[in-house]
Amino acid sequence: MIRVHGYLGQSSQALRDEAATANLVVGGRRHLDALEVPEERRIVLGALSTAVPKIVEAGDDARIVVIASGDPGLFGIVRRLRAAGLDLEVVPEPSSVAAAFAAAGLPWDDAEVVSVHGRDLAPGLAVCRAWGKVAVMTGPDQGIRELAAGLADLRRTYWLCERLGETDQRVRRLTGAEALELDDIAQPNVVLVLDPALTGSVGWRLGAPRPEAPLPQVDDEAARIFCRLLPRLGDTLWVRGGTGRQVGELARHNGAAVVDLDENPTPPGTPTWTIDEGVLS
Ligand SMILES: C[S@@+](CC[C@H](N)C(=O)[O-])C[C@H]1O[C@@H](n2cnc3c(N)ncnc32)[C@H](O)[C@@H]1O
């Protein structure tokens, strides 16, 4: 039996009881220390690739407790364990994303949730550019400063939500300029990136809505380029000129971030594609 427990600053009595009697307890060193798991029963998470084979080896009869942050089903260990063919029970705590929006006092049924933790920053930046309410799970070198730098040409408000649930939890609301100056960022943290102009919610669907406007009319060349690329949420297009702008309109409709180089000749970051008039690169 493998039971995966969420953790956000506090361990439940159920987790403490199960960890005290499990054959193996898997988690971050800090969590294992807090639960006083003896060396011979612990697997320290870090290189997950070594943890999974040990869990598989322990066999079906072993009682295994895995501790992971927040809701382990959201950008968490559940995917990896399932991919290894393991059956699990999950006991979630609130996700750090839910805790971040709660700390900011904001609803989030209209938010996008992305992770740049150990991943490419560009798709996360594209989502923050395309949609005005995004929760970003960050990493030490891919955090609020890098987000603010990549979105420097846009009006955005940042909520830096550090060490949620811990005794030293801190939540700060910042402008882009303030975010760029930060030199005291604690880990882990979630960053909410908000467009102050965003109003209302789509109501029936989570995440970024499709624009309600009808599809724009475009010429054949723009339609051909759009069909070849099929840009979507997570992609960034830099466009220039009539054809470029038409591809941009379709791409925006499809959720991609679009920067018009005629209006903003030196945007930060790098695009997925550039369409300069009809020339694609
Ligand atoms: C691998 S993801 C796991 C997310 C987790 N499953 C959840 O629901 O919160 C790790 C990221 O979650 C965020 N995170 C996890 N615990 C946090 C906490 N206590 N405070 C703020 N952010 C946290 C950070 O962005 C961190 O880089």
Side-chain angles (χ1 to χ4, degrees), residues 89-126:
E89 268 182 33
V90 181
V91 186
E93 285 294 318
S95 167
S96 55
V97 173
F101 278 110
L106 293 169
W108 60 290
D109 47 8
D110 51 353
E112 290 288 342
V113 179
V114 302
S115 172
V116 299
H117 180 100
R119 293 178 165 88
D120 187 9
L121 185 64
L125 278 175

Side-chain angles (χ1 to χ4, degrees), residues 8 69-72 74-76 95-96 117 137-138 161-164 188-190:
L8 203 71
S69 60
D71 180 344
L74 182 73
F75 288 112
S95 167
S96 55
H117 180 100
M137 294 185 178
T138 66
C161 306
E162 300 159 285
R163 303 186 54 75
L164 292 161
N189 65 70
V190 170

Side-chain angles (χ1 to χ4, degrees), residues 8 28 46 75 80 88 92 100 106 113 118 130 136 163 181 188 199 203-204 215 231 254 257 260 268 272 276 280:
L8 203 71
F75 288 112
R80 292 289 301 273
L88 320 166
L106 293 169
V113 179
V136 186
R163 303 186 54 75
E181 293 297 312
T199 52
W204 57 271
L215 267 180
N254 216 31
D260 187 336
T272 319
D276 196 341
L280 169 68

Side-chain angles (χ1 to χ4, degrees), residues 10-105:
Q10 294 166 28
S11 46
S12 65
Q13 187 60 48
L15 169 56
R16 287 196 293 276
D17 291 348
E18 285 175 35
T21 56
N23 301 103
L24 278 178
V25 185
V26 184
R29 188 176 299 285
R30 193 165 53 94
H31 300 152
L32 298 173
D33 288 347
L35 291 165
E36 297 177 357
V37 179
E39 224 33 71
E40 63 277 11
R41 289 199 296 117
R42 61 165 69 187
I43 299 177
V44 180
L45 274 179
L48 190 55
S49 47
T50 64
V52 172
K54 284 184 192 161
I55 293 172
V56 174
E57 239 170 63
D60 291 343
D61 294 335
R63 276 169 292 114
I64 299 175
V65 169
V66 181
I67 309 164
S69 60
D71 180 344
L74 182 73
F75 288 112
I77 195 169
V78 168
R79 183 175 299 281
R80 292 289 301 273
L81 296 176
R82 277 283 180 199
L86 296 164
D87 274 335
L88 320 166
E89 268 182 33
V90 181
V91 186
E93 285 294 318
S95 167
S96 55
V97 173
F101 278 110

Side-chain angles (χ1 to χ4, degrees), residues 119-199:
R119 293 178 165 88
D120 187 9
L121 185 64
L125 278 175
V127 176
C128 293
R129 189 172 278 281
W131 185 233
K133 187 184 276 189
V134 184
V136 186
M137 294 185 178
T138 66
D141 300 322
Q142 311 234 85
I144 188 166
R145 279 190 306 244
E146 291 73 17
L147 290 166
L151 302 167
D153 56 323
L154 299 181
R155 224 175 129 225
R156 290 290 187 265
T157 301
Y158 298 83
W159 287 81
L160 175 59
C161 306
E162 300 159 285
R163 303 186 54 75
L164 292 161
E166 305 284 349
T167 50
D168 55 353
Q169 165 175 318
R170 181 167 55 170
V171 176
R172 293 182 267 177
R173 181 186 174 153
L174 303 156
T175 63
E178 288 166 341
L180 284 169
E181 293 297 312
L182 286 170
D183 62 0
D184 60 344
I185 301 167
Q187 302 293 333
N189 65 70
V190 170
V191 177
L192 307 182
V193 183
L194 308 177
D195 178 353
L198 181 75
T199 52

